[in-house]
Amino acid sequence: MAGIAFELKKILRRRSITSIFTAFGYSLALSSGPYIITITSLLLVNFIGSYFVKDSTQLTQFQVVITYIIAFSLILSGFTNLYLIRFLADMIFAKRYDAIIPNLMSAIILNASAGFILSLIFSLLALAPYTSYIFAFLFTLCFTLFMCIWTLNTILTGFKSYKYILFSYAFSYSIFLITSLYFIKYGLTGLMFTFTLSNSILFFMLFAYTIRNYYSDRLLSFEFIKEDKYRSLILTGFFYNLGIWADKLVFWFHPYTSTEALGPLSYSIVYDIPIFLAYLSIAPGISAMFLKIEWEFAEHYDKYYDAVRGGALLDKIYLYGDELISSARGVLLDTFRIQAIFSVFIIIMQEQLFTLFRLPKVYIPLFDILLLGTSLQVVLLSLIALMFYFDRLTYALITTFVYAVSNSGLSLLSIYLGPYFYGYGFAVATMLSIIIGVILLRRFLHDIHYYTFMHI
């Protein structure tokens, strides 16, 4: 944590426009780099593949399969990842570093076992009849790898190993790009093989880094399962990921909006392209959130709680508390401002962008409302991150539950209301979740001194 914060402070100490852009770019690379690399790689393979594959349906099927693997592995692994990272954070605070590896290994085995069994059953029953047993095996292997990768990714992100995560994604997806040039001639199975290969490399890189940095003489421990304090995080992690994917799942499976891709896997021609473009635009907002939390909020957070633990004078504790509240407010407002400015820029340039990428302009109205929804989602992400910082786990559970339920229900309602209402379910659900989250967090911050001293 200190390393990233120190580097950001060092850059911003120059107090120039260039230093602000440098810090912003640095934050952008560390916070959004992995997902930008993943999306860019898939886009490039799709673009290159269009020149080598006669049947473009296979490229569409490949993208749909990968999207399903990412979505369902995130939702399923959500049950353990937040719970595990909180347990390991406590182990580090207690200087029990030897507990990290055995508990992490146990969580990986649990996730891998669940992912392997479920994906094997699904691939044999639902995919093999339409493809081959080799493809079904690769699907199972890839899904299992992603279940483990999300766990390692969450742990290393929690430990602030952003640079290594970025390097690992850049290296492994470079392998994917290079090898796909050869294996693309084997169609869907060839692409699946090279994608699985690259993610195997990613998994071993993340795993090796974790093992190298945290020594233990034990291999397995299920101590984290016995911890009762953070049970709510099991559901929070599930609802958080379900909420993010709920609107997509509704549009993929509803008969009014879905298109069959491969067996039971379907996608939405109407919804997928605009939501995909809208998600590409949230990188500046995530970068602003990362910068504000790492550079400013974390410092005020440490200063306030160090003062409380160190027995500082009451006036000083009140002063640091006010600064902390102001910093938390700044995280939300500045994230929203930066993302709003960038979204307005996108809206102004959207016709030119759609023309440049040869996309049908009929998507523009839906894209606008989805752009609003994804921008709000960045604010919601900031809000939940602050709740975790302040240990407001019940608040996070309520907010993510509301998001999952409202995004599912309102997205379904928008389909029945007609095409003019597509996307409004997602945007309204995100806004509703933000309002509830802000009310809860505001109540805590208003009485932050009371809650702090009640826990000592």
Side-chain angles (χ1 to χ4, degrees):
M1 181 192 298
I4 300 299
F6 177 76
E7 289 184 43
L8 288 172
K9 286 176 186 173
K10 186 178 174 183
I11 294 169
L12 291 167
R13 200 175 294 143
R14 300 173 202 151
R15 295 185 178 279
S16 65
I17 296 293
T18 309
S19 65
I20 293 174
F21 279 105
T22 304
F24 192 77
Y26 187 66
S27 302
L28 180 67
L30 296 182
S31 61
S32 307
Y35 100 83
I36 291 175
I37 289 169
T38 306
I39 291 176
T40 305
S41 302
L42 290 170
L43 284 176
L44 283 173
V45 167
N46 188 59
F47 176 75
I48 296 168
S50 63
Y51 290 96
F52 293 93
V53 178
K54 293 180 181 178
D55 183 9
S56 62
T57 306
Q58 292 190 336
L59 293 174
T60 304
Q61 289 174 336
F62 174 67
Q63 290 189 331
V64 170
V65 168
I66 299 306
T67 305
Y68 272 77
I69 287 175
I70 291 173
F72 282 94
S73 61
L74 273 171
I75 293 170
L76 189 58
S77 64
F79 282 113
T80 56
N81 290 344
L82 285 180
Y83 181 70
L84 178 67
I85 185 63
R86 182 51 200 262
F87 171 80
L88 295 184
D90 277 4
M91 293 298 102
I92 291 176
F93 186 77
K95 301 188 186 306
R96 288 190 55 204
Y97 301 108
D98 62 325
I100 293 176
I101 291 301
N103 283 284
L104 174 62
M105 287 289 293
S106 302
I108 287 177
I109 289 173
L110 285 177
N111 275 348
S113 302
F116 180 80
I117 293 169
L118 292 175
S119 59
L120 180 64
I121 294 170
F122 175 78
S123 62
L124 288 177
L125 296 178
L127 295 181
Y130 299 93
T131 53
S132 65
Y133 284 107
I134 294 176
F135 180 84
F137 171 74
L138 290 172
F139 178 91
T140 302
L141 184 57
C142 193
F143 189 90
T144 307
L145 279 170
F146 265 94
M147 289 289 290
C148 303
I149 287 171
W150 296 136
T151 302
L152 290 167
N153 207 71
T154 304
I155 299 304
L156 292 178
T157 300
F159 294 164
K160 315 293 182 185
S161 303
Y162 302 114
K163 287 183 182 177
Y164 187 79
I165 294 173
L166 179 63
F167 168 72
S168 303
Y169 273 82
F171 180 80
S172 58
Y173 278 85
S174 298
I175 299 292
F176 169 55
L177 279 174
I178 294 168
T179 53
S180 65
L181 294 175
Y182 175 78
F183 286 100
I184 203 167
K185 63 185 178 183
Y186 296 105
L188 183 59
T189 304
L191 286 171
M192 198 66 199
F193 172 77
T194 186
F195 189 74
T196 305
L197 175 67
S198 66
N199 280 288
S200 302
I201 294 170
L202 175 61
F203 166 74
F204 283 112
M205 289 181 73
L206 297 177
F207 185 70
Y209 180 84
T210 310
I211 293 289
R212 188 171 67 86
N213 284 279
Y214 300 99
Y215 171 79
S216 177
D217 55 0
R218 292 179 296 160
L219 185 60
L220 295 176
S221 171
F222 290 92
E223 189 180 351
F224 74 101
I225 295 178
K226 301 172 187 171
E227 183 58 70
D228 292 328
K229 287 189 291 183
Y230 312 125
R231 294 289 186 202
S232 65
L233 286 174
I234 295 174
L235 291 177
T236 302
F238 170 70
F239 286 131
Y240 173 73
N241 288 297
L242 181 62
I244 288 175
W245 288 97
D247 55 307
K248 293 89 180 165
L249 294 172
V250 168
F251 275 84
W252 289 346
F253 288 109
H254 197 281
Y256 289 2
T257 53
S258 68
T259 302
E260 187 179 319
L262 183 65
L265 305 185
S266 57
Y267 66 105
S268 175
I269 296 176
V270 177
Y271 199 75
D272 286 0
I273 293 177
I275 192 69
F276 174 74
L277 293 174
Y279 270 115
L280 282 179
S281 71
I282 64 172
I286 293 177
S287 175
M289 178 190 73
F290 181 87
L291 184 63
K292 289 290 292 184
I293 288 180
E294 291 291 342
W295 170 50
E296 189 178 283
F297 176 79
E299 182 179 340
H300 289 295
Y301 180 91
D302 289 340
K303 191 191 289 185
Y304 173 73
Y305 285 102
D306 285 347
V308 172
R309 283 191 292 266
L313 294 174
L314 189 59
D315 288 347
K316 187 169 282 187
I317 290 175
Y318 279 145
L319 174 64
Y320 291 163
D322 290 342
E323 290 176 351
L324 178 61
I325 293 169
S326 177
S327 178
R329 190 182 297 122
V331 170
L332 297 177
L333 292 178
D334 287 348
T335 300
F336 178 73
R337 286 191 191 107
I338 296 293
Q339 187 57 44
I341 291 170
F342 190 73
S343 296
V344 169
F345 172 76
I346 292 289
I347 289 172
I348 293 172
M349 299 295 295
Q350 62 187 3
E351 289 210 12
Q352 289 85 345
L353 290 172
F354 271 68
T355 303
L356 178 65
F357 292 106
R358 300 176 183 176
L359 296 171
K361 292 183 181 177
V362 70
Y363 287 128
I364 286 180
L366 177 56
F367 171 72
D368 287 343
I369 189 64
L370 291 175
L371 186 63
L372 172 64
T374 52
S375 299
L376 291 173
Q377 199 176 59
V378 179
V379 179
L380 179 62
L381 184 63
S382 309
L383 195 59
I384 294 171
L386 291 177
M387 289 175 179
F388 286 146
Y389 255 99
F390 288 119
D391 207 24
R392 297 295 96 188
L393 304 186
T394 305
Y395 294 173
L397 175 59
I398 294 170
T399 305
T400 51
F401 173 76
V402 169
Y403 188 45
V405 172
S406 61
N407 197 13
S408 304
L410 293 175
S411 294
L412 186 61
L413 178 64
S414 72
I415 292 178
Y416 286 112
L417 290 175
Y420 287 110
F421 292 91
Y422 289 176
Y424 281 90
F426 168 56
V428 173
T430 312
M431 176 59 82
L432 176 66
S433 306
I434 289 174
I435 291 171
I436 290 173
V438 166
I439 291 172
L440 293 171
L441 190 62
R442 186 177 181 276
R443 190 172 69 176
F444 165 74
L445 291 176
H446 184 265
D447 296 319
I448 186 171
H449 305 298
Y450 168 77
Y451 287 112
T452 301
F453 283 96
M454 282 295 290
H455 281 83
I456 292 179

